[in-house]
Amino acid sequence: MDLRVAAPASVAAAARRGVLGGGCASLRAFGGRRRIISVRTSVATTESAATAALGAVSNTSSASPTLFLTVASSVFNCSCGRGFLQTEDEDVETRNPRTVVAVILGGGAGTRLFPLTKRRAKPAVPIGGAYRLIDVPMSNCINSGINKVYVLTQFNSASLNRHLSRAYNFSSGVGFGDGFVEVLAATQRPGLEGKRWFQGTADAVRQFDWLFDDAKSKDIEDVLILSGDHLYRMDYMDFVQSHRQRDTGISICCLPIDDSRASDFGLMKIDDTGRVISFSEKPKGADLKAMQVDTTVLGLPKEEAEKKPYIASMGVYLFKKELLLNLLRWRFPTANDFGSEIIPAAAKEINVKAYLFNDYWEDIGTIKSFFEANLALAEQPPGFSFYDASKPMYTSRRNLPPSMISSSKITDSIISHGCFLDSCRIEHSVVGVRSRVGSNVHLKDTVMLGADFYETDAERGDQLAEGKVPIGIGENTSIQKCIIDKNARIGKNVTIANAEGVQEADRTSEGFHIRSGITVVLKNSVIADGLVI
């Protein structure tokens, strides 16, 4: 528990004169060079102790007895009965983003998100009408000041690579100064082991661990491991600062969870210092109850901690660089995964600490979670919002015009730029870039991913004349509980409602699948006029 204990007036005055500090305090004498001293104090600091400390400090300067110390406050921040004042220099050092490199894992096959991952990697899946999932960790890195980023890719990476090159480069995209964004694709290497694909998250990093020995990584102290398929907004430097102040080998970002959701996650158990002592993957019954922890240890208010007695791993890890290399190369050279192998085994031997993230976070790993997370963006108020001017979400520059909306009724929805909506009704839906919605169309609980290009009026006229279906949604069509992938062509008088409540179906030849009761219209597919789904 953190306490703020006011010092006696004379002690506070001594602190302001540069007497008291926590750890190493930086002092500078008139005309003298900078000196570093170490002065510690307890909560029960007395005036006599202050006087003694003042004498100790005075003896450190031969240039002048007058010294100055910049102190953030005249009170003590106390933890576990020990008081300390952290200097600005120490704070800057623990929050230095130039000594952090981020590794975004984007190489999974994404089978649970199929068919959205049929032709794209998971991090390249569009979200929120104008973004892609990879934009979330990339934007969090930018907003945190971290400008050294590796993205590991393996499956269907063409569209992901194209998006990264357009959005995050030195010329026309987001500038990275002396940093970099590099895509590391799975590749063959010399030797028998070099012939295989990434076997897991840890194996993917291990195959490129030589990069951390490179000259441009000489200043790197910590490695931040991120996933490319989560939706959240986070200042990673808060995480890094906690990691460094606690002198932790591995830190794990965790989410407080209540009873209703706990069995859906991999849970961690901690001691009263926040150290991780055990793990359990999606426990149930007695095993679930055994994973309850006191989340006030991590800073959660007591009332909320009683409602959320579990902590779940977010898949966001922070390693000291040298420790990570040691674990990958020597301690666990055959382990393939961080979450299920390396970290649980390392926690038995080294200091692994939990870091609480008590805000919106969603794993976009299934069609259902993708669908629900998108529609949640249109709720009032939304659980997560892309509208934060101080911490914006970046994406590729499209230079599209504003949307044109004619005689339409739109409620609780998101309409992206470059759309054409003509005399339609849209309820609780997300409409992606360059979408076209015809007259008398009704969309409800629908996620429309948009289109990669426009068809001209002449091209659309020619297709209609030939009995073909242009990109977009034709007139008199009704759609609900549906995901419409990019460049889909949905004809006139179509009904998509899944009235029979089918949970799973593969109708590739007809242009759609059904997953968890949600109809998914495939990318580039054609839904013929008058079809009823």
Side-chain angles (χ1 to χ4, degrees):
M1 181 173 66
D2 290 331
L3 304 174
R4 301 186 71 81
V5 182
S10 56
V11 178
R16 287 193 294 270
R17 291 198 303 272
V19 178
L20 302 175
C24 291
S26 301
L27 301 115
R28 188 184 300 276
F30 276 130
R33 68 183 184 277
R34 187 175 192 157
R35 294 175 177 272
I36 303 297
I37 65 169
S38 180
V39 182
R40 296 195 179 275
T41 182
S42 69
V43 176
T45 303
T46 63
E47 295 189 30
S48 59
T51 303
L54 178 59
V57 174
S58 298
N59 292 333
T60 66
S61 175
S62 59
S64 169
T66 307
L67 302 171
F68 291 86
L69 170 66
T70 301
V71 184
S73 174
S74 61
V75 298
F76 299 94
N77 291 317
C78 303
S79 180
C80 301
R82 294 187 301 275
F84 63 91
L85 285 174
Q86 180 154 330
T87 66
E88 287 184 4
D89 285 349
E90 290 174 326
D91 187 62
V92 169
E93 181 60 29
T94 57
R95 291 189 67 88
N96 183 5
R98 297 172 65 88
T99 58
V100 181
V101 65
V103 179
I104 302 176
L105 303 172
T111 53
R112 295 183 302 156
L113 262 179
F114 188 87
L116 298 180
T117 52
K118 183 178 181 180
R119 290 288 181 266
R120 58 168 78 91
K122 267 199 302 184
V125 172
I127 190 169
Y131 303 89
R132 293 178 186 257
L133 284 172
I134 190 66
D135 292 326
V136 175
M138 285 299 307
S139 298
N140 284 335
C141 284
I142 295 169
N143 294 329
S144 302
I146 298 172
N147 65 353
K148 299 177 179 67
V149 183
Y150 292 114
V151 182
L152 298 179
T153 66
Q154 180 164 267
F155 293 97
N156 286 333
S157 59
S159 63
L160 176 60
N161 296 344
R162 183 166 58 247
H163 176 75
L164 288 169
S165 65
R166 288 175 178 175
Y168 307 101
N169 59 51
F170 296 98
S171 54
S172 60
V174 176
F176 273 78
D178 62 345
F180 56 82
V181 178
E182 292 187 10
V183 176
L184 306 176
T187 183
Q188 290 191 344
R189 296 163 293 122
L192 184 62
E193 290 295 308
K195 305 301 181 184
R196 58 190 177 91
W197 290 98
F198 296 153
Q199 301 300 300
T201 55
D203 183 64
V205 176
R206 182 186 293 113
Q207 290 193 31
F208 284 98
D209 62 6
W210 55 270
L211 287 169
F212 301 120
D213 297 325
D214 193 72
K216 65 183 178 182
S217 297
K218 61 182 176 63
D219 296 326
I220 298 302
E221 297 176 8
D222 297 288
V223 181
L224 180 64
I225 307 294
L226 305 171
S227 176
D229 59 353
H230 297 162
L231 181 61
Y232 63 110
R233 180 180 277 106
M234 179 179 178
D235 186 343
Y236 294 137
M237 290 313 299
D238 289 342
F239 184 29
V240 173
Q241 185 176 32
S242 171
H243 172 80
R244 291 175 174 176
Q245 287 177 342
R246 296 190 295 178
D247 194 27
T248 305
I250 305 173
S251 291
I252 305 174
C253 216
C254 62
L255 200 71
I257 298 291
D258 58 21
D259 288 280
S260 64
R261 303 177 61 200
S263 60
D264 296 332
F265 293 88
L267 302 181
M268 300 183 296
K269 196 171 183 65
I270 57 173
D271 63 16
D272 56 6
T273 69
R275 179 170 179 171
V276 179
I277 55 177
S278 66
F279 296 80
S280 182
E281 185 64 25
K282 298 181 180 180
K284 299 185 186 301
D287 292 336
L288 176 62
K289 293 298 181 184
M291 295 304 292
Q292 288 187 351
V293 298
D294 179 10
T295 46
T296 60
V297 170
L298 301 177
L300 205 65
K302 184 176 180 180
E303 184 177 343
E304 188 174 0
E306 292 174 352
K307 297 177 181 177
K308 298 178 178 179
Y310 303 96
I311 54 173
S313 171
M314 293 168 52
V316 176
Y317 313 120
L318 189 61
F319 291 81
K320 287 185 177 179
K321 184 181 77 170
E322 297 305 325
L323 174 62
L324 174 64
L325 295 179
N326 179 275
L327 293 175
L328 292 175
R329 293 171 176 174
W330 313 113
R331 187 66 187 88
F332 306 109
T334 60
N336 292 325
D337 190 72
F338 283 121
S340 63
E341 296 179 81
I342 286 185
I343 293 178
K348 299 176 182 178
E349 304 173 2
I350 62 175
N351 189 17
V352 178
K353 289 286 185 71
Y355 174 83
L356 189 73
F357 178 74
N358 191 22
D359 207 337
Y360 181 94
W361 176 89
E362 190 64 50
D363 180 5
I364 313 296
T366 65
I367 289 294
K368 182 178 180 181
S369 64
F370 173 83
F371 180 71
E372 291 176 347
N374 271 277
L375 292 186
L377 297 172
E379 294 175 354
Q380 297 298 326
F384 178 87
S385 175
F386 285 97
Y387 303 92
D388 187 334
S390 63
K391 297 177 181 178
M393 287 291 173
Y394 298 92
T395 190
S396 58
R397 186 179 303 168
R398 299 184 179 92
N399 299 320
L400 290 173
S403 292
M404 182 176 292
I405 303 173
S406 303
S407 304
S408 299
K409 182 178 180 181
I410 302 171
T411 56
D412 297 334
S413 297
I414 294 174
I415 310 298
S416 301
H417 38 286
C419 298
F420 293 87
L421 310 182
D422 180 22
S423 303
C424 58
R425 183 157 58 101
I426 300 177
E427 302 176 65
H428 196 226
S429 296
V430 176
V431 179
V433 295
R434 303 187 189 88
S435 292
R436 285 183 177 268
V437 181
S439 63
N440 201 30
V441 168
H442 181 203
L443 299 182
K444 182 177 181 181
D445 297 331
T446 294
V447 179
M448 192 173 181
L449 303 189
D452 291 319
F453 58 92
Y454 283 123
E455 288 179 332
T456 66
D457 291 339
E459 289 172 334
R460 293 174 62 82
D462 290 342
Q463 291 185 46
L464 290 171
E466 296 172 7
K468 297 179 179 179
V469 180
I471 287 180
I473 302 176
E475 60 187 30
N476 301 319
T477 289
S478 177
I479 301 175
Q480 60 180 322
K481 200 175 182 182
C482 180
I483 299 172
I484 304 172
D485 207 340
K486 283 191 169 185
N487 309 327
R489 302 167 184 267
I490 300 177
K492 304 175 184 177
N493 304 307
V494 171
T495 299
I496 300 178
N498 190 16
E500 297 179 0
V502 176
Q503 291 299 299
E504 303 291 330
D506 294 344
R507 304 283 184 84
T508 304
S509 60
E510 297 177 64
F512 70 94
H513 287 199
I514 297 177
R515 292 287 182 268
S516 301
I518 302 162
T519 305
V520 183
V521 178
L522 306 181
K523 184 177 181 179
N524 300 319
S525 65
V526 178
I527 304 296
D529 291 348
L531 183 66
V532 175
I533 300 175

